[in-house]
Protein backbone atom coordinates (compact mmCIF):
# COMPACT_ATOMS: atom_id res chain seq x y z
CA UNK A 1 0.00 0.00 0.00
CA UNK A 2 1.47 3.36 -1.04
CA UNK A 3 0.38 6.92 -0.35
CA UNK A 4 -0.62 8.77 2.79
CA UNK A 5 -2.63 6.07 4.54
CA UNK A 6 0.31 4.01 5.90
CA UNK A 7 2.04 7.17 7.09
CA UNK A 8 -1.10 8.42 8.85
CA UNK A 9 -1.72 5.05 10.48
CA UNK A 10 1.87 5.02 11.76
CA UNK A 11 1.43 8.56 13.11
CA UNK A 12 -1.75 7.51 14.92
CA UNK A 13 0.07 4.54 16.46
CA UNK A 14 2.85 6.85 17.65
CA UNK A 15 0.39 9.29 19.19
CA UNK A 16 -1.60 6.91 21.36
CA UNK A 17 -0.04 4.91 24.20
CA UNK A 18 -0.53 1.15 23.86
CA UNK A 19 -3.03 0.90 26.69
CA UNK A 20 -5.35 3.22 24.73
CA UNK A 21 -5.01 1.52 21.34
CA UNK A 22 -7.75 -1.05 21.93
CA UNK A 23 -10.54 1.54 21.69
CA UNK A 24 -9.77 2.86 18.17
CA UNK A 25 -8.98 -0.66 16.98
CA UNK A 26 -12.35 -1.90 18.26
CA UNK A 27 -14.23 0.91 16.50
CA UNK A 28 -12.32 0.36 13.27
CA UNK A 29 -13.13 -3.37 13.33
CA UNK A 30 -16.83 -2.50 13.64
CA UNK A 31 -16.77 0.16 10.90
CA UNK A 32 -18.11 -0.68 7.45
CA UNK A 33 -15.82 1.84 5.80
CA UNK A 34 -14.21 5.28 6.15
CA UNK A 35 -17.58 7.07 6.14
CA UNK A 36 -19.15 4.99 8.93
CA UNK A 37 -20.89 7.35 11.45
CA UNK A 38 -19.56 5.13 14.23
CA UNK A 39 -16.14 6.69 13.64
CA UNK A 40 -17.62 10.20 13.70
CA UNK A 41 -19.09 9.58 17.14
CA UNK A 42 -15.90 8.07 18.49
CA UNK A 43 -13.72 10.94 17.24
CA UNK A 44 -16.10 13.57 18.65
CA UNK A 45 -16.11 11.91 22.07
CA UNK A 46 -12.37 11.36 22.36
CA UNK A 47 -10.69 13.85 24.72
CA UNK A 48 -7.18 13.86 23.23
CA UNK A 49 -6.36 17.27 21.75
CA UNK A 50 -6.13 17.18 17.96
CA UNK A 51 -6.96 13.49 17.68
CA UNK A 52 -10.23 14.14 15.85
CA UNK A 53 -8.46 15.96 13.01
CA UNK A 54 -5.77 13.27 12.86
CA UNK A 55 -8.39 10.55 12.59
CA UNK A 56 -10.20 12.63 9.97
CA UNK A 57 -7.05 12.82 7.83
CA UNK A 58 -6.57 9.07 8.12
CA UNK A 59 -10.18 8.42 7.08
CA UNK A 60 -9.84 10.77 4.10
CA UNK A 61 -6.75 8.87 2.93
CA UNK A 62 -8.59 5.57 3.50
CA UNK A 63 -11.48 6.83 1.34
CA UNK A 64 -9.21 8.14 -1.42
CA UNK A 65 -6.61 5.40 -1.57
CA UNK A 66 -8.24 2.16 -0.40
CA UNK A 67 -12.03 2.55 -0.10
CA UNK A 68 -12.55 -1.18 -0.57
CA UNK A 69 -10.56 -2.11 2.52
CA UNK A 70 -12.82 -3.11 5.44
CA UNK A 71 -12.39 -1.60 8.86
CA UNK A 72 -10.90 -4.90 10.07
CA UNK A 73 -7.97 -4.42 7.69
CA UNK A 74 -7.37 -0.87 8.89
CA UNK A 75 -7.54 -2.05 12.51
CA UNK A 76 -4.99 -4.77 11.76
CA UNK A 77 -2.68 -2.23 10.11
CA UNK A 78 -2.97 0.04 13.14
CA UNK A 79 -2.24 -2.90 15.45
CA UNK A 80 0.83 -3.78 13.37
CA UNK A 81 2.10 -0.19 13.53
CA UNK A 82 1.56 -0.16 17.29
CA UNK A 83 3.48 -3.44 17.69
CA UNK A 84 6.36 -1.99 15.70
CA UNK A 85 6.39 1.05 17.99
CA UNK A 86 6.87 -1.26 20.98
CA UNK A 87 10.35 -2.26 19.86
CA UNK A 88 12.98 -1.17 22.34
CA UNK A 89 13.32 2.60 22.48
CA UNK A 90 16.73 4.26 22.59
CA UNK A 91 17.87 4.51 26.22
CA UNK A 92 17.57 7.82 28.01
CA UNK A 93 20.88 9.66 28.27
CA UNK A 94 21.97 11.42 31.46
CA UNK A 95 22.81 15.12 31.27
CA UNK A 96 24.44 17.22 34.01
CA UNK A 97 25.63 20.70 34.81
CA UNK A 98 28.38 21.40 37.33
CA UNK A 99 31.07 18.93 38.44
CA UNK A 100 31.20 15.58 36.64
CA UNK A 101 32.25 12.23 38.05
CA UNK A 102 33.41 8.85 36.78
CA UNK A 103 30.28 7.14 38.10
CA UNK A 104 28.45 7.21 34.79
CA UNK A 105 29.04 8.69 31.32
CA UNK A 106 27.29 12.03 31.03
CA UNK A 107 27.08 15.03 28.73
CA UNK A 108 26.92 18.67 29.76
CA UNK A 109 23.55 20.41 29.71
CA UNK A 110 24.77 23.39 27.68
CA UNK A 111 26.07 21.21 24.84
CA UNK A 112 22.98 19.02 24.76
CA UNK A 113 20.63 22.02 24.71
CA UNK A 114 22.39 23.37 21.63
CA UNK A 115 22.40 19.94 19.96
CA UNK A 116 18.65 19.56 20.46
CA UNK A 117 17.94 23.03 19.07
CA UNK A 118 20.16 22.40 16.05
CA UNK A 119 18.42 19.09 15.36
CA UNK A 120 14.98 20.70 14.90
CA UNK A 121 13.56 20.47 11.38
CA UNK A 122 9.98 21.64 11.89
CA UNK A 123 9.32 22.82 15.44
CA UNK A 124 10.87 23.65 18.79
CA UNK A 125 8.85 23.69 21.99
CA UNK A 126 10.75 25.15 24.94
CA UNK A 127 9.55 25.62 28.51
CA UNK A 128 11.52 27.33 31.27
CA UNK A 129 10.80 28.94 34.62
CA UNK A 130 13.69 31.42 34.30
CA UNK A 131 15.90 32.63 31.46
CA UNK A 132 18.82 35.06 31.31
CA UNK A 133 22.39 35.41 30.00
CA UNK A 134 21.95 32.79 27.28
CA UNK A 135 23.39 34.52 24.22
CA UNK A 136 24.46 31.23 22.61
CA UNK A 137 20.97 29.73 22.99
CA UNK A 138 19.41 32.87 21.49
CA UNK A 139 21.83 32.65 18.55
CA UNK A 140 20.84 29.03 17.94
CA UNK A 141 17.14 29.90 18.12
CA UNK A 142 17.62 32.67 15.58
CA UNK A 143 19.34 30.18 13.26
CA UNK A 144 16.44 27.75 13.75
CA UNK A 145 13.92 30.49 12.93
CA UNK A 146 15.92 31.34 9.80
CA UNK A 147 15.49 27.75 8.59
CA UNK A 148 11.71 28.08 9.14
CA UNK A 149 11.46 26.13 12.38
CA UNK A 150 8.35 27.04 14.36
CA UNK A 151 9.45 28.09 17.86
CA UNK A 152 7.15 28.28 20.90
CA UNK A 153 8.53 29.49 24.23
CA UNK A 154 6.47 28.65 27.32
CA UNK A 155 7.80 30.99 29.99
CA UNK A 156 7.02 32.02 33.55
CA UNK A 157 5.96 35.66 33.56
CA UNK A 158 6.89 36.32 37.21
CA UNK A 159 10.59 35.80 36.45
CA UNK A 160 10.53 38.08 33.37
CA UNK A 161 12.03 35.18 31.41
CA UNK A 162 10.80 36.63 28.11
CA UNK A 163 13.38 39.43 28.32
CA UNK A 164 16.15 36.97 27.46
CA UNK A 165 14.57 36.48 24.03
CA UNK A 166 13.92 40.13 23.18
CA UNK A 167 16.22 39.96 20.16
CA UNK A 168 13.96 37.31 18.62
CA UNK A 169 10.87 39.54 18.37
CA UNK A 170 8.67 38.28 15.55
CA UNK A 171 10.65 35.05 15.16
CA UNK A 172 9.24 33.15 18.15
CA UNK A 173 5.90 32.82 19.89
CA UNK A 174 5.96 33.45 23.64
CA UNK A 175 3.33 32.04 26.00
CA UNK A 176 2.58 33.13 29.58
CA UNK A 177 0.11 31.87 32.15
CA UNK A 178 -3.37 33.13 31.35
CA UNK A 179 -4.12 33.85 35.02
CA UNK A 180 -1.01 35.08 36.81
CA UNK A 181 -2.98 35.54 40.03
CA UNK A 182 -3.70 31.81 40.28
CA UNK A 183 -1.60 29.60 42.54
CA UNK A 184 1.28 27.71 41.02
CA UNK A 185 3.70 28.60 38.26
CA UNK A 186 5.12 27.32 35.02
CA UNK A 187 8.06 25.40 36.46
CA UNK A 188 8.78 22.88 33.69
CA UNK A 189 12.15 22.85 31.94
CA UNK A 190 11.94 21.26 28.50
CA UNK A 191 13.52 21.63 25.06
CA UNK A 192 11.72 19.44 22.51
CA UNK A 193 12.70 19.27 18.85
CA UNK A 194 9.90 18.19 16.53
CA UNK A 195 8.39 15.09 18.13
CA UNK A 196 11.67 13.17 18.14
CA UNK A 197 14.00 14.33 20.87
CA UNK A 198 13.64 16.21 24.16
CA UNK A 199 15.88 17.45 26.94
CA UNK A 200 14.21 17.76 30.32
CA UNK A 201 15.47 18.15 33.84
CA UNK A 202 16.10 20.62 36.62
CA UNK A 203 18.04 23.25 34.65
CA UNK A 204 16.45 26.57 33.70
CA UNK A 205 17.65 28.44 30.63
CA UNK A 206 20.25 30.46 32.49
CA UNK A 207 24.01 30.64 32.18
CA UNK A 208 24.60 29.11 35.61
CA UNK A 209 22.01 26.37 35.25
CA UNK A 210 23.41 25.25 31.91
CA UNK A 211 27.04 25.21 33.06
CA UNK A 212 27.86 25.81 36.74
CA UNK A 213 24.97 24.77 38.99
CA UNK A 214 24.58 21.14 39.98
CA UNK A 215 21.71 20.15 37.69
CA UNK A 216 20.50 16.76 36.50
CA UNK A 217 18.47 15.93 33.40
CA UNK A 218 17.85 13.34 30.74
CA UNK A 219 17.59 13.39 26.98
CA UNK A 220 14.83 11.29 25.43
CA UNK A 221 15.10 10.00 21.87
CA UNK A 222 11.89 7.95 21.83
CA UNK A 223 9.44 9.69 19.43
CA UNK A 224 6.49 8.01 21.11
CA UNK A 225 7.30 9.43 24.55
CA UNK A 226 8.47 12.78 23.21
CA UNK A 227 5.32 13.05 21.10
CA UNK A 228 3.10 12.64 24.16
CA UNK A 229 5.15 15.24 26.04
CA UNK A 230 4.80 17.71 23.15
CA UNK A 231 1.06 17.02 22.91
CA UNK A 232 0.63 17.84 26.60
CA UNK A 233 2.59 21.08 26.41
CA UNK A 234 0.71 22.18 23.30
CA UNK A 235 -2.56 21.32 25.04
CA UNK A 236 -1.59 23.84 27.72
CA UNK A 237 -1.57 26.53 25.00
CA UNK A 238 -5.03 25.58 23.72
CA UNK A 239 -8.52 26.79 24.66
CA UNK A 240 -9.43 23.55 26.43
CA UNK A 241 -6.75 23.99 29.09
CA UNK A 242 -6.90 27.78 29.23
CA UNK A 243 -3.59 27.75 31.07
CA UNK A 244 -1.31 29.63 28.67
CA UNK A 245 -1.93 32.52 26.32
CA UNK A 246 0.27 34.19 23.70
CA UNK A 247 2.05 37.38 24.68
Amino acid sequence: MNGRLPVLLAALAKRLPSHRMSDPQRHLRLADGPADPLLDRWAAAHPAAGLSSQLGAMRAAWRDEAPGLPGTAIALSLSTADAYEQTEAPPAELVVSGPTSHAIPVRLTSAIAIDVIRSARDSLLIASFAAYKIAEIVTELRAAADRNVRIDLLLEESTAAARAFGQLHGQVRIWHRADVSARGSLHAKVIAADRRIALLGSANLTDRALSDNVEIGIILRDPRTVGRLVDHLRWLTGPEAGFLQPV
Side-chain angles (χ1 to χ4, degrees):
M1 183 188 298
N2 296 318
R4 295 181 299 125
L5 184 54
V7 174
L8 293 169
L9 284 168
L12 190 59
K14 285 182 179 180
R15 177 176 189 134
L16 291 175
S18 290
H19 69 275
R20 292 173 56 188
M21 289 295 292
S22 60
D23 193 34
Q25 290 171 5
R26 177 172 60 86
H27 282 80
L28 285 167
R29 284 193 294 268
L30 294 172
D32 292 330
D36 195 312
L38 174 68
L39 298 178
D40 292 325
R41 293 192 293 272
W42 179 80
H46 204 284
L51 183 60
S52 180
S53 60
Q54 193 170 4
L55 181 62
M58 184 274 288
R59 292 171 64 190
W62 179 9
R63 180 196 63 219
D64 296 340
E65 298 172 9
L69 279 182
T72 51
I74 301 298
L76 178 60
S77 297
L78 186 60
S79 177
T80 302
D82 179 51
Y84 179 78
E85 283 296 313
Q86 298 314 303
T87 56
E88 186 176 355
E93 181 180 345
L94 286 175
V95 182
V96 302
S97 301
T100 60
S101 73
H102 298 291
I104 193 167
V106 295
R107 294 186 66 189
L108 294 177
T109 306
S110 55
I112 284 288
I114 290 172
D115 285 350
V116 173
I117 293 171
R118 287 178 177 173
S119 76
R121 298 192 294 259
D122 301 308
S123 64
L124 277 166
L125 190 61
I126 298 175
S128 190
F129 176 75
Y132 53 84
K133 294 184 179 180
I134 47 170
E136 194 171 7
I137 295 291
V138 171
T139 297
E140 293 298 336
L141 290 177
R142 182 182 294 110
D146 288 343
R147 62 178 185 268
N148 297 318
V149 173
R150 170 188 172 184
I151 303 173
D152 290 279
L153 305 177
L154 284 54
L155 304 173
E156 172 58 29
E157 185 174 3
S158 66
T159 66
R163 292 179 184 175
F165 306 97
Q167 299 176 33
L168 300 176
H169 180 70
Q171 293 182 293
V172 300
R173 293 197 303 177
I174 295 177
W175 302 82
H176 282 165
R177 285 183 292 136
D179 183 2
V180 295
S181 65
R183 295 182 62 186
S185 62
L186 193 155
H187 207 250
K189 293 94 174 179
V190 177
I191 303 176
D194 306 321
R195 299 172 63 84
R196 300 174 295 103
I197 181 172
L199 167 64
L200 57 157
S202 62
N204 284 299
L205 286 178
T206 69
D207 56 340
R208 288 187 176 181
L210 294 178
S211 299
D212 301 324
N213 292 352
V214 176
E215 308 276 4
I216 301 293
I218 59 171
I219 183 166
L220 302 175
R221 302 182 188 275
D222 176 14
R224 190 180 183 90
T225 302
V226 174
R228 293 202 296 269
L229 172 63
V230 169
D231 285 343
H232 174 69
L233 292 175
R234 292 210 181 279
W235 176 78
L236 292 175
T237 69
E240 183 180 357
F243 184 74
L244 296 171
Q245 63 184 6
V247 177

